Amino acid sequence: MIVKTVNSYDIHIHGQLLRVIEKNELRAGPEGFDVKKLLLNEPRGSKYMNLLIFHEDEITGGLTVTLDSITGIENEDVLLKSFVSSLVDRGRIEKKESYSLDFNGRTKKYGQNELIETPLYEVGLTDGLYEVNHKKIKLVETGLHMDIQYITSIKKEIEKLNDSTYDYLVLSNDGKHATANKNNDILPYPIIEVISLFYRELGTERTTTLNGDDIKIQNGRFEHAYQLISNSQFYIDHTDIYTEGFVIK
């Protein structure tokens, strides 16, 4: 028996997933089910979903936003900008010169012309590690092929090189690269701090990520127009054999 229906929509930005849900959809969750956790873990067991929950103030029109992820939030501003852009495109909010978000107690402001591109960060170097946007990056040139069919070898190399000194480890070979976080989770989509490193320090205007996405940099800016994946309804069914799960339509 279906005990609750949750409406959402999914987008991706260069392969990075973002599920968008209005806070009202989470009200009156059935007993025994963590609706937020279920939305974050569907497709069941995925660790790459980012979940954005928003609320619009009925009087001021202000937007309050939270972001959650299993592996940690990457490309924070890119995700938030893409969310705002999607609301505008869907007619959910009016198109304006600028937008303001209340995000985790902080105010984020974005101009209309900033929603689909972001300037790359400056890069520093300290004790052999690059520093970009307060993130430490370890860059390693490797002979490994940076293609998904070699994922097992790439994972082993990442585990071997992890010395707990960095936020991101980047393996690079022949115009392609793979990025992992400090927990050895491979991040197959582009990370703006890594793209900034390639552009600012190595003069790279074109690189390919592990998911095969070809990233081109123009005028020192990272373009990130989102793509709609689906409009979805999730059904919580108390007869699900896994006890906590969704049937996706």
Side-chain angles (χ1 to χ4, degrees), residues 30-47:
E31 185 177 353
F33 291 89
D34 186 335
V35 179
K36 182 177 176 181
K37 180 179 178 181
L38 292 173
L39 289 165
L40 189 59
N41 284 320
E42 185 67 34
R44 190 166 293 155
S46 172
K47 65 179 180 180

Side-chain angles (χ1 to χ4, degrees), residues 30-87:
E31 185 177 353
F33 291 89
D34 186 335
V35 179
K36 182 177 176 181
K37 180 179 178 181
L38 292 173
L39 289 165
L40 189 59
N41 284 320
E42 185 67 34
R44 190 166 293 155
S46 172
K47 65 179 180 180
Y48 290 114
M49 182 60 69
N50 296 284
L51 177 63
L52 187 149
I53 300 171
F54 77 97
H55 172 71
E56 183 180 16
D57 188 281
E58 295 180 358
I59 299 176
T60 66
L63 293 169
T64 301
V65 175
T66 63
L67 262 177
D68 290 279
S69 174
I70 297 296
T71 58
I73 305 299
E74 321 295 344
N75 299 324
E76 178 182 287
D77 283 312
V78 172
L79 293 177
L80 293 174
K81 290 178 181 182
S82 298
F83 155 67
V84 174
S85 184
S86 72
L87 287 188

Side-chain angles (χ1 to χ4, degrees), residues 98-117:
S98 64
Y99 307 88
S100 180
L101 306 177
D102 182 349
F103 175 65
N104 293 343
R106 294 177 287 152
T107 299
K108 293 274 191 176
K109 293 185 178 181
Y110 304 118
Q112 175 63 38
N113 61 347
E114 297 179 87
L115 296 184
I116 60 172
E117 63 177 19

Side-chain angles (χ1 to χ4, degrees), residues 18 65 97 188 205:
L18 181 64
V65 175
E97 289 187 3
E205 296 184 348

